[in-house]
Amino acid sequence: MKYSIVALFILSLLSVCFLSLNYIWDWFAIDYSQVMKLTFSALILLLAITGLAMIFSGANSKNPNQPNVGKR
């Protein structure tokens, strides 16, 4: 599950970067109509959700090399 979230984060990040650079430098002719704007917004939302999932997943994980000392 953790690796699929990371893969989804990387794919959405690369997609957003590619679409942004294509919008600036016009490499390929893409019609940025309402559907494309919704797709771009969905990719940014997916990027934010997977980023938050990775942050909270890392915050809740335990380090197996650190002993549980002083806790009863």
Side-chain angles (χ1 to χ4, degrees):
M1 181 69 178
K2 186 180 358 179
Y3 296 115
S4 62
I5 290 175
V6 171
L8 195 60
F9 178 79
I10 291 171
L11 286 175
S12 61
L13 180 65
L14 289 175
S15 300
V16 166
C17 289
F18 175 75
L19 287 174
S20 299
L21 288 176
N22 188 35
Y23 183 75
I24 292 171
W25 290 328
D26 201 23
W27 292 326
F28 302 105
I30 295 177
D31 181 27
Y32 288 98
S33 62
Q34 195 66 19
V35 174
M36 193 61 178
K37 289 178 185 176
L38 286 174
T39 304
F40 194 64
S41 299
L43 281 172
I44 291 176
L45 184 65
L46 182 67
L47 184 69
I49 289 171
T50 53
L52 286 173
M54 286 192 309
I55 289 170
F56 288 121
S57 165
N60 290 332
S61 65
K62 291 191 174 198
N63 187 357
N65 296 325
Q66 186 173 4
N68 196 2
V69 177
K71 296 183 180 178
R72 294 179 186 215

